[in-house]
Amino acid sequence: MPRTVHIIGAGLAGLSAAVRLATADHRVIVHEATAFAGGRCRSYHDASVGMTIDNGNHLLLSGNHAALEFLRTIGSEHRLIGPAAAEFPFLDLKSGAHWTLRFDDGRLPLWIFDPRRRVPGTRALDYISMARLLWPNPQKTVGETIACKGALYSGLIEPLLLAALNIDPPQGSARLAAAVIRETLAAGGRACRPLIARDGLAPTLIEPVLDYLRSRGAQIRLEHQLRTMRFESRRVAALDFGDENVALAEADAVILAVPPYAAASLVPGLTVPKEFRAIVNAHFRYAPSASQPPILGIINATTQWIFAFPGRLSVTVSAGDALLDTPREQLARTIWAEVAQAAALPAEAAADLPPWQIVRERRATFAATPEQDKRRPGARTAWRNLVLGGDWTNTGLPATIEGAIRSGNRAAALVSQMQP
Ligand SMILES: Cc1cc2nc3c(=O)[nH]c(=O)nc-3n(C[C@H](O)[C@H](O)[C@H](O)COP(=O)(O)OP(=O)(O)OC[C@H]3O[C@@H](n4cnc5c(N)ncnc54)[C@H](O)[C@@H]3O)c2cc1C
């Protein structure tokens, strides 16, 4: 008889575990507390801008091998778009300087010797001194490992780490920064091509995975929140969903792929990260011109990245905690003025705030400090049929789609190896 695997949480960690397990050997049931799948990676219809938008702009890189394999499996890889080569245009809003980082495809970083392809005002030697970040003391912060100042820092290291770690880089874990740099810059341009879900996160990632799972007999139960688990003889014996109590057979397993605060309330004695950082996104219904790059990095402004989508310009501000209390319209106006300047919009467009929305995700990711990183548990638990998934488990990566999917794959592998 196939074993039943209950996956709690339909974020990317839970869904990727489900993809790995939805085979003849397992009966997969995904239980999701809310009315939608996708967790922190979702699309919704927004009445203010009058279109379907994502809760936040999500960037993948071509080196995110687990994420790309996931997309290939569910038949959705073609929905990601990006340039043919690893190119990142940047604009310094204060000085007006603009440049495009162009990495070499291979690992040999010849671009650092080419003033037209590296950060303006830097020398090749500056890049070599940053290599210290590749083999850091894992207990230290980025600020304790490298000098967080100068043109190379503000033109490359700061925007890269701010986006990947979602924390002001000097406070960030050097171990997590090293993992990011090893898998991106140090792996060469082939690993650094930026990729975005142009038509939205739901049509690219979530709807195809739900179709894939349903076609393989998996059940997706929305609005089905796990309230408590009953533990017995070092295993989970039953799941309590409030309106329904599910007893587990000896061979059955549970993958708990919920956020850390939810996991801590369900599993006794679990140590989890308890500090978070916000991400703020501003969406404007304004059709970008054909010359607007799909992704533009902005320096010396509130805006950090401008994404161009069909009919819409969207801005991401990572580690945006300082903006949580700013009145929404004030924030929209500040960011729109920066977007208008960066996109060189005509004066009347700049003065006229288009339909907008501000989405503030307070607990977008755990705070990627060395202290919080140490609190991340592995996938195994003290209970033999319970494993953990989620971007906050100890994946060795910051909280990203790639980390979430790797954690789901790992959880699925552990369940497959469990003795009935
Ligand atoms: C605004 C924003 C921008 C981001 N940008 C990027 C980016 O550019 N690139 C990138 O790689 N990553 C980005 N991320 C991070 C990425 O979204 C996350 O790492 C990833 O989605 C986490 O997936 P997860 O499955 O671990 O967790 P979640 O998505 O949080 O999924 C957990 C699920 O569990 C459900 N749940 C909770 N409690 C229960 C319960 N008791 N019973 C049943 N279900 C429950 C929740 O409702 C949720 O659906 C961003 C995140 C945000 C918020």
Side-chain angles (χ1 to χ4, degrees), residues 8-14 31-34 38-41 55-60 224-226 257-259 262 266 279 281 361 364-365 390-391 399-402 404:
I8 316 298
L12 285 170
H31 308 268
E32 165 57 44
T34 67
R40 277 170 280 156
C41 199
N55 64 318
N57 304 313
H58 279 63
L59 180 68
L60 282 169
H224 209 232
Q225 181 179 356
L226 180 66
V258 299
L266 290 162
I279 298 180
N281 276 261
E361 292 268 3
T365 68
D391 62 356
T400 51
I401 292 179
E402 178 70 8

Side-chain angles (χ1 to χ4, degrees), residues 49 51 57 282-289 292-294 306-315 336 339-340 343 345 354-355 357:
V49 287
M51 47 176 49
N57 304 313
H283 306 275
F284 301 99
R285 197 175 75 201
Y286 187 91
S289 72
Q292 179 73 25
I306 301 177
F307 289 72
F309 291 102
R312 170 166 61 96
L313 285 163
S314 282
V315 163
W336 178 247
V339 170
L345 299 187
Q357 183 55 279

Side-chain angles (χ1 to χ4, degrees), residues 366-414:
F366 74 87
T369 61
E371 294 72 35
Q372 298 302 308
D373 187 36
K374 251 190 268 164
R375 298 179 63 87
R376 300 168 78 185
R380 287 180 205 274
T381 67
W383 292 275
R384 43 194 171 84
N385 61 349
L386 174 66
V387 292
L388 301 175
D391 62 356
W392 55 277
T393 58
N394 191 5
T395 62
L397 291 178
T400 51
I401 292 179
E402 178 70 8
I405 291 179
R406 282 193 208 174
S407 83
N409 291 348
R410 164 106 180 111
L414 288 175

Side-chain angles (χ1 to χ4, degrees), residues 15 21 31 33 49 105 119 155 165 169-171 176 189 209 217 233 247 260 262 267 279 283 405:
L15 293 170
L21 292 169
H31 308 268
V49 287
D105 273 355
V119 180
L165 268 63
Q171 300 170 13
L176 297 177
V209 70
S233 325
V267 180
I279 298 180
H283 306 275
I405 291 179

Side-chain angles (χ1 to χ4, degrees), residues 79-156:
R79 293 195 170 96
L80 285 184
I81 61 140
E87 291 186 353
F88 289 85
F90 276 94
L91 170 67
D92 181 332
L93 218 54
K94 208 153 125 198
S95 69
H98 51 90
W99 63 96
T100 299
L101 298 176
R102 289 194 179 87
F103 306 130
D104 300 275
D105 273 355
R107 281 178 186 270
L108 200 61
L110 296 175
W111 61 277
I112 70 174
F113 300 101
D114 183 345
R116 286 162 311 170
R117 294 198 287 149
R118 67 189 181 201
V119 180
T122 59
R123 301 160 308 159
L125 212 60
D126 300 331
Y127 295 78
I128 292 160
S129 70
M130 286 290 166
R132 225 174 303 145
L133 207 46
L134 279 172
W135 300 278
N137 176 335
Q139 317 293 335
K140 299 255 174 178
T141 61
V142 171
E144 289 164 339
T145 309
I146 56 161
C148 293
K149 57 180 191 216
L152 176 57
Y153 176 73
S154 57
L156 173 60

